[in-house]
Amino acid sequence: MTKSAAVRRPLPTSPFKAQAQAPLKRFAVGDRVTHDRYGLGRAIGVEGDSDIAVLVDFGSRQERITQPYTEMFKL
């Protein structure tokens, strides 16, 4: 028995359908952000088009935040 080369697509009403990918967060220099741990800040550096890390100035400290940006949100 051989496997088919066709991609299996679940029905739209199926409870087992594939989970949708969340859109990637993109940050640019100058963006105002909030972080769950560090508070309000401003992006002062971006590595790899924000695919790698973002350097954020939180006033009292600067932090390098890496992907995934689960705790950081753009304002």
Side-chain angles (χ1 to χ4, degrees):
M1 179 184 246
T2 61
K3 291 192 175 192
S4 136
V7 176
R8 295 185 70 168
R9 294 181 293 154
L11 294 173
T13 57
S14 171
F16 303 107
K17 61 184 173 188
Q19 297 292 328
Q21 291 284 337
L24 294 176
K25 294 182 183 180
R26 299 276 183 196
F27 297 98
V29 173
D31 284 348
R32 297 283 300 174
V33 298
T34 181
H35 192 278
D36 291 345
R37 183 180 301 156
Y38 304 116
L40 295 173
R42 183 176 300 275
I44 59 173
V46 176
E47 294 180 27
D49 196 30
S50 78
D51 290 339
I52 298 172
V54 177
L55 182 63
V56 182
D57 180 18
F58 291 105
S60 61
R61 66 191 308 173
Q62 292 181 356
E63 289 291 328
R64 182 177 178 264
I65 312 295
T66 58
Q67 280 274 23
Y69 306 115
T70 56
E71 298 180 344
M72 189 164 72
F73 303 95
K74 190 185 299 189
L75 296 178

